[in-house]
Amino acid sequence: MKAVGFTEFGGPEVMRVLELLEPHAGPGQVRIKVAAAAVHPPDVGMRRGLAATFIPDRFPLADQYVVGWDAAGTIDEAGEGVRAELVVGAEVIAVLEPKLALGAQAEFVVAPAESVVRAPKGVDLAAASTLPLNGLTARMALDALELSPGATVAVTGAAGSLGGYAVQLAKAAGLTVIADAADKDRDLVAGLGADHVVPRGDRFAERVRELRPAGADGIIDAAVLDAAVAAGVRDGGGIVTVKWFTGSTDRGVRWLPVTVYDRLRDTAALTELRDQAESGALTLRVAATFPPEEAAQAHRLFEAGGVRGRPVLLF
């Protein structure tokens, strides 16, 4: 089968089409004939060798790698013991752990049934493939903050996929949202439902305090500003980070790193996200589509910066 991957670490030019043996579903698994697989910033880090350096247990050295977390397509094999809805012919989305040659960017992938749910109705599969990884991470961020309706959450990187989902999920949970945006993205972020849009940049915390003098109840740092956001949260508040950063606990501030590895098999959360996408509460955004042979172009798009939505590989 055709898969997108690399055999050495490096720049976008190392991306290539690999020919691999087709996998097959075992008990508790389904095989998906992939129609679309989203490309994410972690794929770029893996290609550069960062994952092999910092999380070698999750990304062991190998002769060839297939990355990708999100797949959308059609079930064409179902093993014993899977849920009744996961039948051959069903359109589904899945979140996978990219390890060795087991990533989502391939013609066929095998996934644990717990990591697979029906695709949202009324959404094309390219758009559906952008949901699982970032949607689940945003869900985890809000869960970690444990905020009650009426509380205020501030979101950095709100124009990006993770930040955008965080804004929309926060609004669905009854929270007041302060979000950042570059001038060109203000209308986009406001359209996602942010109550207040502040300029993007190093003065984010200051801008939050101008709106909430005591500070926001929580911050979701999707832009990875790390310590620079700390002054924007109230005493005793929480800050969610997505690259394991933890800062000072002055003022009782809680640093809350989240990693999607912890909830790759959270069927209930994936189902809720699917339902929210189906209802229109979540906006699925495709930045561009590419055939597998042009995967390097998808990586170059990320490295150029300013991507709004996700590049998607179409199989």
Side-chain angles (χ1 to χ4, degrees):
M1 70 169 183
K2 183 184 297 185
V4 171
F6 49 91
T7 58
E8 60 182 326
F9 301 130
E13 70 279 356
V14 304
M15 298 301 299
R16 64 192 62 194
V17 173
L18 305 173
E19 286 294 333
L20 303 178
L21 295 175
E22 290 185 11
H24 292 281
Q29 299 176 325
V30 297
R31 187 173 85 162
I32 302 167
K33 187 178 188 303
V34 176
V39 180
H40 295 284
D43 300 335
V44 175
M46 289 173 170
R47 187 206 75 219
R48 291 174 175 169
L50 299 179
T53 299
F54 294 108
I55 49 170
D57 57 327
R58 295 288 190 181
F59 202 75
L61 292 175
D63 293 330
Q64 53 191 5
Y65 304 89
V66 176
V67 293
W69 302 77
D70 296 337
T74 305
I75 293 176
D76 77 337
E77 290 181 4
E80 295 180 0
V82 303
R83 304 190 312 280
E85 66 175 0
L86 301 181
V87 297
V88 171
E91 289 192 340
V92 293
I93 55 175
V95 60
L96 292 94
E97 178 180 354
K99 190 173 187 178
L100 305 176
L102 301 176
Q105 294 168 14
E107 287 186 283
F108 296 94
V109 298
V110 168
E114 299 94 332
S115 301
V116 182
V117 298
R118 177 179 57 78
K121 294 177 181 177
V123 175
D124 68 71
L125 291 176
S129 76
T130 68
L131 176 62
L133 174 65
N134 285 148
L136 191 54
T137 305
R139 176 74 270 156
M140 292 176 67
L142 284 168
D143 290 349
L145 289 173
E146 299 180 308
L147 299 178
S148 300
T152 296
V153 63
V155 180
T156 70
S161 291
L162 172 57
Y165 287 144
V167 169
Q168 292 188 301
L169 289 173
K171 289 304 298 176
L175 303 179
T176 296
V177 178
I178 301 171
D180 70 349
D183 288 344
K184 64 185 178 64
D185 292 322
R186 289 186 65 87
D187 289 345
L188 167 63
V189 173
L192 294 172
D195 298 283
H196 307 280
V197 181
V198 301
R200 181 181 178 182
D202 294 339
R203 298 179 65 192
F204 175 77
E206 180 182 338
R207 300 299 190 192
V208 171
R209 288 278 183 166
E210 289 172 359
L211 293 165
R212 292 290 187 273
D217 297 296
I219 293 176
I220 298 174
D221 184 24
V224 197
L225 300 180
D226 295 336
V229 304
V233 74
R234 65 168 171 80
D235 293 358
I239 302 173
V240 172
T241 62
V242 294
K243 288 191 176 180
W244 295 286
F245 179 84
T246 56
S248 168
T249 55
D250 290 348
R251 303 186 293 114
V253 171
R254 296 169 296 125
W255 292 86
L256 305 165
V258 298
T259 170
V260 77
Y261 284 114
D262 294 337
R263 287 174 66 177
L264 291 174
R265 299 193 182 200
D266 191 338
T267 310
L270 289 168
T271 300
E272 183 178 10
L273 289 166
R274 185 272 317 284
D275 292 345
Q276 289 174 303
E278 199 167 271
S279 72
L282 291 178
T283 302
L284 311 184
R285 293 180 284 156
V286 175
T289 60
F290 301 88
E293 294 78 11
E294 296 179 10
Q297 291 299 104
H299 282 239
R300 290 188 182 101
L301 183 63
F302 266 124
E303 294 190 332
V307 177
R308 299 296 174 250
R310 285 288 175 259
V312 175
L313 301 177
L314 301 180
F315 288 87

